[in-house]
Amino acid sequence: LLGYLLIRILLHYKNAGTEKLQKGLWFLLGTVSVVLVYGIFGQELGGLLQNLETVQKGNTGIELSDGFITFSNLTPNIIVVFLARRLLAAMKEDLYQEESVKLAEKLSHFCVWTLASTIGLGAVFNLLQLFFQSSLYQIEYVVAVPVFSLAFVLAVLLFAKYIREMQRLKEDNDLFI
């Protein structure tokens, strides 16, 4: 049923205009932000705190990496969603204004930072396990290759460059008129 509903929504937006797509993306980003807030504060924070408590009691039979890595991955994503919503609102107002360009660049830089920090946190977690392996009962090395996140970051960087270039072209056209 959910699959059918999603296909119907996709077909609905397939030939939609810019305004309709912006409204759909606004709604989708709002839904994602609600899910992320619930995921962070309703699910992962409790699991992380429970895992940390178990570690303090003796490190028996838990997988600490699940809570730590998931919590560290979800937290910056909500900021990305809020920045994307701000960019969408600015673009709806005027695509060529300086605020739209600055927000697109801010979003692209934050996405790069988020991806780099996520990869870095995974590496730090693995190094900590390596250094403290003699006192740990369970070790789980995680090597994540975020292909989709990398593709998204590259798309956002490209999008920011396109917006900047479109703004320059509009300024040049306005000079001729």
Side-chain angles (χ1 to χ4, degrees):
L1 184 62
L2 182 62
Y4 174 75
L5 181 65
L6 291 175
I7 290 171
R8 293 290 298 168
I9 291 171
L10 282 174
L11 291 175
H12 179 72
Y13 284 107
K14 179 182 172 189
N15 297 320
T18 305
E19 227 173 275
K20 193 172 192 177
L21 286 172
Q22 284 179 335
K23 285 180 184 179
L25 184 56
W26 182 264
F27 177 75
L28 178 65
L29 289 173
T31 304
V32 167
S33 65
V34 168
V35 169
L36 283 174
V37 167
Y38 173 73
I40 292 169
F41 296 108
Q43 294 279 311
E44 296 303 324
L45 184 61
L48 178 64
L49 293 175
Q50 183 180 13
N51 282 347
L52 290 174
E53 183 179 315
T54 306
V55 166
Q56 289 175 348
K57 290 181 180 177
N59 190 18
T60 56
I62 65 157
E63 294 180 7
L64 181 62
S65 62
D66 287 343
F68 175 77
I69 291 175
T70 306
F71 186 74
S72 65
N73 286 346
L74 286 180
T75 306
N77 288 342
I78 196 158
I79 298 170
V80 170
V81 170
F82 286 128
L83 285 174
R85 284 179 63 112
R86 283 183 53 199
L87 174 62
L88 194 59
M91 287 172 50
K92 188 175 183 181
E93 192 176 305
D94 183 11
L95 177 62
Y96 302 107
Q97 68 181 347
E98 185 65 27
E99 182 184 358
S100 297
V101 175
K102 286 182 180 179
L103 283 171
E105 290 174 349
K106 184 177 181 178
L107 176 63
S108 66
H109 293 301
F110 188 78
C111 285
V112 168
W113 177 84
T114 300
L115 184 59
S117 65
T118 301
I119 293 169
L121 281 172
V124 166
F125 186 76
N126 287 338
L127 284 174
L128 286 173
Q129 288 185 97
L130 181 66
F131 290 140
F132 297 109
Q133 68 184 355
S134 61
S135 60
L136 294 174
Y137 293 109
Q138 179 179 352
I139 297 174
E140 182 182 347
Y141 294 109
V142 177
V143 178
V145 181
V147 176
F148 292 112
S149 297
L150 185 59
F152 176 76
V153 167
L154 292 175
V156 169
L157 286 169
L158 187 63
F159 181 69
K161 299 285 183 193
Y162 281 155
I163 289 180
R164 174 62 76 186
E165 187 62 30
M166 286 186 331
Q167 183 196 33
R168 283 191 199 126
L169 289 173
K170 184 180 183 308
E171 289 173 358
D172 287 346
N173 283 343
D174 289 346
L175 290 175
F176 289 120
I177 297 174

